Amino acid sequence: MSLTRLSRLSKVRFSVLKREILILKNKGYIEIIDSGRVKIARLNYSNQKVIILKNLLEELEDI
């Protein structure tokens, strides 16, 4: 999802969102794809913690 769209949907100022996104990127939880003016954030599924969290959320949906 683009950072601008994520900012609008979450109703968080872009500068705050960008700072938090950089923290998540530095920890390896997300990847940033830079295609010119548009920056896209996506989960880093090669990170074991992301996979564990995804599985946990899927299990909670089933309850």
Side-chain angles (χ1 to χ4, degrees):
M1 176 178 296
S2 76
L3 297 185
T4 304
R5 183 163 186 235
L6 183 59
S7 175
R8 278 191 220 128
L9 290 175
S10 63
K11 298 179 182 169
V12 173
R13 285 191 346 232
F14 186 80
S15 60
V16 174
L17 177 78
K18 190 173 178 182
R19 183 181 63 224
E20 298 298 324
I21 289 290
L22 287 176
I23 291 169
L24 293 172
K25 179 185 176 215
N26 291 337
K27 292 187 181 244
Y29 299 140
I30 63 168
E31 300 171 330
I32 302 293
I33 301 168
D34 189 0
S35 60
R37 287 179 45 127
V38 178
K39 293 188 181 357
I40 298 173
R42 71 176 184 181
L43 288 174
N44 181 3
Y45 287 108
S46 62
N47 186 320
Q48 188 66 28
K49 291 179 182 177
V50 172
I51 295 169
I52 291 170
L53 182 59
K54 180 182 174 280
N55 291 338
L56 175 64
L57 291 173
E58 288 174 351
E59 288 295 322
L60 288 174
E61 283 181 353
D62 294 339
I63 295 177

